[in-house]
Amino acid sequence: MANGIITKVAGPLVIAEGMRSANMFDVVRVSKQRLIGEIIEIHGDKASIQVYEETSGLGPGEEVESTGAPLSVELGPGLIGSIYDGIQRPLNEIMKVAGNNLTRGVEVPSLNHKKKWHFVPLVKKGSVVRAGDVIGTVKETNAVVHKIMVPNKMEGTISFIKEGDYTIDEVVAVLEKDGKKQDLTMAVKWPVRVGRPYKKKLSPDILLTTGQRTIDTLFPIAKGGVAAVPGPFGSGKTVVQHQLAKWAAADIIVYIGCGERGNEMTDVLNEFPELKDPRTGNSLMERTVLIANTSDMPVAAREASIYTGITIAEYFRDMGYTVALMADSTSRWAEALREMSGRLEEMPGEEGYPAYLGSRLAQFYERAGRVIVNGSGDTEGALSVIGAVSPPGGDISEPVSQATLRIVKVFWGLDASLAYKRHFPAINWLTSYSLYTDQLENWFSENASPDFMKLRGRIMSLLQDESELQEIVNLVGMDALSPTDRLKLETARSIREDYLHQNAFDPVDTYTSLKKQVLMMRAILLCYDKSVEALESGANVELLVNILVRERIGRLKYEDEKKVDQEFESIQAILDKEIKDVIERSGD
């Protein structure tokens, strides 16, 4: 144990002398109030400590005590449904101890050490196991079976294992190797800044279905992929993340509120327990871990909250689950880095952010991926990361947005003007992109439709053409356009309003399966193709633009999944009849 004395306090930064035997990233307890801190720099026997709690009232001469261990999270049954702060202290338990005001130096265990869990063994006495193997399960909630794994760097023969009710500290199995015995409990600790190991990283060639048409069709994210959602205030970042948390094809959701306003975080804490999980019909909290670190909590704890969240997410990935992590927002996390860098008097980079901002962001995002997890089998797990970015004034040329764009493969650019027009999700189809599209081509043709990429390509090119034609219309008016261009504009409007616009609060429209997405695209493009053919046969463009079937196509998104095939066939028949009528009327 290294004990030092405080020589300087500068906001969340404390400098202590006499810390020669301490190590980098050791957790320390500062002063008699036992505030939690972490060593981030050492020069000789002087240690710079970032303190994760309010430091007002601290002064030189007070004692600092090192715990000798890095900042770690406790992993085991009891994580699901919990609400933590940035350093994995359970907020519900703190409230019981300290009331509504978060007092300093509160020491509360991350997991409940008294609760008994029913452990069911999956291996027998005499089985040979290695790190990552699942030795038993615990039914944590109705939606999640918690798998108890052999801890990292351990292997041997099981000499004792028994079904029963245990606390997370009680021995559930004994591992024997070379005459040495090791007790296995249900909980393990893991340092947050170290990524959990795996056997092999796989190619991101499976879609993470979200049921959001703009995302799945135009800018898809792969399982184990990384995406950024930058956008100004009020453009709908939080709603996009809520929709992904609810509908993405993920078994576990980890939601990090990093430096967001208190009222936004309160909304999340109130809404998540109310949101119905479409898989089970119960509360979404039954497969969610929440980390709440609001803007009025100490700045330094934001830095830890991102790592705490991704370590918990990796733990569930190692069980073979598909995990989706939402970080809202990495801009606030970067502000914490900037604050600490300034206090340490480091040479600033662009706009005062530290020069290592890009590498820190990369370290975080590269922990995502679809992997073969450790253990005897070839179990697959995936961790997808979706990070919201809040650029000041929506200006994505600022350093955090630019550093993020260099790392992530999917960019869903939210647009304030679309949000102002009440077009949600307000993802701008002209500036957004996904670099997973080529890798997902085979997956789409096998699981959605052989011509899925062709349909998508046509939709994209019509939207591109619309933006060019709109400039002409703004300059010289609609009358300057040729009949073919008029049809293009009308079709693009249908794509925007009937396909890309999606109502998160409508029970049917909130989620669209890939099969329905394909039929909706086909209906819009079929109407366009038939209209172009009719034009060539001498049809009147005004009559074509106003055919009644367009309204049926627009209402297709509100059609129940079971009836959508029937409705599509009905639209086809009506379309043929109406186009025929238009040609005849034009001839007359």
Side-chain angles (χ1 to χ4, degrees):
M1 289 282 193
N3 283 12
I5 301 294
I6 295 176
T7 58
K8 178 183 171 186
V9 179
L13 179 72
V14 167
I15 294 178
E17 284 183 347
M19 304 289 288
R20 194 171 289 279
S21 58
N23 297 314
M24 274 289 281
F25 300 122
D26 273 4
V27 171
V28 295
R29 290 288 183 172
V30 179
S31 82
K32 286 178 186 159
Q33 291 174 316
R34 294 184 63 73
L35 308 184
I36 299 176
E38 184 185 20
I39 296 175
I40 53 170
E41 206 175 74
I42 295 178
H43 293 290
D45 73 337
K46 266 191 181 179
S48 300
I49 299 158
Q50 70 176 356
V51 181
Y52 293 131
E53 297 182 73
E54 182 57 52
T55 56
S56 55
L58 279 190
E62 297 196 56
E63 202 169 84
V64 173
E65 179 193 317
S66 169
T67 60
L71 183 66
S72 302
V73 287
E74 201 167 20
L75 304 168
L79 283 170
I80 298 290
S82 297
I83 300 167
Y84 293 113
D85 73 352
I87 44 179
Q88 212 207 3
R89 295 183 302 178
L91 295 175
N92 290 342
E93 296 304 312
I94 289 177
M95 197 172 87
K96 289 175 193 170
V97 177
N100 285 341
N101 293 325
L102 190 60
T103 47
R104 298 190 289 176
V106 177
E107 292 187 47
V108 181
S110 303
L111 298 174
N112 188 335
H113 288 251
K114 291 176 184 167
K115 183 173 177 179
K116 296 259 185 185
W117 299 91
H118 187 71
F119 172 77
V120 181
L122 290 184
V123 294
K124 295 185 174 73
K125 187 179 172 182
S127 302
V128 177
V129 292
R130 56 195 257 198
D133 281 347
V134 177
I135 57 167
T137 61
V138 166
K139 185 96 168 121
E140 191 167 351
T141 64
N142 290 328
V144 177
V145 173
H146 197 109
K147 299 173 186 176
I148 308 301
M149 299 172 286
V150 177
N152 195 35
K153 296 182 180 172
M154 280 194 189
E155 58 181 6
T157 308
I158 298 279
S159 62
F160 162 83
I161 192 163
K162 189 180 176 187
E163 183 172 347
D165 294 333
Y166 300 93
T167 65
I168 57 170
D169 298 323
E170 289 175 336
V171 176
V172 294
V174 176
L175 204 59
E176 205 171 305
K177 191 187 180 193
D178 303 333
K180 289 181 184 172
K181 290 188 175 182
Q182 287 176 307
D183 294 341
L184 302 186
T185 62
M186 290 196 273
V188 291
K189 286 208 160 190
W190 190 269
V192 296
R193 293 180 190 277
V194 179
R196 285 176 64 87
Y198 50 81
K199 272 191 203 165
K200 181 186 175 189
K201 208 162 206 171
L202 301 170
S203 169
D205 51 17
I206 295 176
L207 179 74
L208 179 74
T209 49
T210 65
Q212 310 308 300
R213 294 188 290 270
T214 313
I215 293 173
D216 286 352
T217 303
L218 301 186
F219 313 112
I221 177 171
K223 265 189 188 175
V226 286
V229 194
F233 177 76
S235 58
K237 290 189 292 292
T238 308
V239 175
V240 167
Q241 292 201 318
H242 280 206
Q243 281 294 90
L244 294 175
K246 190 173 178 182
W247 294 108
D251 306 308
I252 309 283
I253 304 295
V254 178
Y255 191 98
I256 308 168
C258 173
E260 280 305 294
R261 295 167 192 82
N263 58 341
E264 282 195 23
M265 207 57 229
T266 309
D267 284 348
V268 172
L269 298 181
N270 287 335
E271 282 172 27
F272 264 57
E274 297 291 319
L275 284 178
K276 251 192 173 181
D277 183 355
R279 295 173 172 216
T280 60
N282 299 331
S283 165
L284 191 62
M285 281 303 287
E286 291 198 354
R287 57 184 181 95
T288 304
V289 182
L290 284 179
I291 293 168
N293 208 112
T294 57
S295 52
D296 59 347
M297 290 180 176
V299 169
R302 292 183 201 173
E303 211 253 337
S305 63
I306 290 276
Y307 294 111
T308 300
I310 201 151
T311 306
I312 292 171
E314 283 179 331
Y315 174 63
F316 284 107
R317 175 208 69 192
D318 289 349
M319 294 180 196
Y321 287 125
T322 299
V323 186
L325 179 134
M326 317 286 162
D328 187 13
S329 83
T330 50
S331 297
R332 309 271 175 266
W333 173 72
E335 283 165 16
L337 284 183
R338 178 166 64 181
E339 163 100 359
M340 292 311 297
S341 175
R343 302 273 184 194
L344 289 165
E345 297 172 8
E346 293 172 340
M347 180 70 82
E350 205 180 337
E351 286 187 29
Y353 287 101
Y356 48 78
L357 171 69
S359 66
R360 287 284 174 88
L361 272 167
Q363 278 169 12
F364 166 65
Y365 279 112
E366 72 188 6
R367 286 170 74 170
R370 188 167 69 92
V371 300
I372 300 282
V373 301
N374 275 355
S376 305
D378 280 342
T379 308
E380 244 182 60
L383 166 54
S384 312
V385 175
I386 293 127
V389 185
S390 314
D395 173 23
I396 62 159
S397 64
E398 55 89 44
V400 184
S401 302
Q402 288 303 309
T404 306
L405 289 187
R406 282 196 282 273
I407 301 157
V408 300
K409 298 284 183 74
V410 180
F411 170 70
W412 298 319
L414 296 175
D415 192 321
S417 64
L418 282 174
Y420 185 70
K421 292 173 191 165
R422 293 286 173 267
H423 178 106
F424 290 106
I427 294 172
N428 187 322
W429 48 88
L430 298 172
T431 56
S432 304
Y433 61 81
S434 167
L435 301 180
Y436 293 120
T437 316
D438 293 344
Q439 285 160 296
L440 292 169
E441 190 168 343
N442 290 340
W443 191 93
F444 276 124
S445 63
E446 285 167 23
N447 297 277
S449 166
D451 62 345
F452 185 90
M453 295 309 279
K454 190 179 169 190
L455 293 171
R456 176 190 177 274
R458 290 193 63 197
I459 292 270
M460 286 294 276
S461 75
L462 280 164
L463 289 169
Q464 293 280 357
D465 290 349
E466 183 203 27
S467 78
E468 291 164 18
L469 290 171
Q470 203 61 53
E471 287 175 20
I472 298 169
V473 171
N474 292 343
L475 283 170
V476 289
M478 187 69 85
D479 298 339
L481 294 183
S482 68
T484 319
D485 287 344
R486 275 287 307 279
L487 276 181
K488 263 189 190 171
L489 269 188
E490 190 58 34
T491 307
R493 186 184 66 79
S494 176
I495 292 168
R496 281 189 291 105
E497 293 176 8
D498 306 333
Y499 191 76
L500 300 183
H501 182 276
Q502 192 165 356
N503 185 350
F505 300 101
D506 183 274
V508 176
D509 196 30
T510 182
Y511 177 89
T512 309
S513 68
L514 281 174
K515 175 190 152 191
K516 186 172 169 183
Q517 290 182 37
V518 169
L519 288 176
M520 286 174 73
M521 283 194 281
R522 282 214 178 111
I524 292 167
L525 292 170
L526 191 67
C527 183
Y528 173 65
D529 292 340
K530 298 261 184 195
S531 300
V532 170
E533 280 173 27
L535 259 189
E536 287 164 4
S537 308
N540 181 322
V541 72
E542 281 299 329
L543 295 173
L544 281 173
V545 164
N546 294 310
I547 53 176
L548 296 173
V549 76
R550 288 183 183 279
E551 201 175 318
R552 284 284 285 267
I553 293 170
R555 286 206 304 268
L556 193 57
K557 62 180 174 184
Y558 299 115
E559 201 61 55
D560 189 83
E561 294 274 350
K562 292 171 189 161
K563 299 177 189 167
V564 74
D565 280 317
Q566 197 180 330
E567 180 63 8
F568 178 71
E569 284 169 20
S570 167
I571 284 170
Q572 265 184 308
I574 297 167
L575 180 63
D576 288 341
K577 183 176 174 297
E578 289 194 3
I579 293 278
K580 202 175 170 187
D581 286 351
V582 167
I583 294 172
E584 282 170 10
R585 282 163 64 195
S586 304
D588 295 344

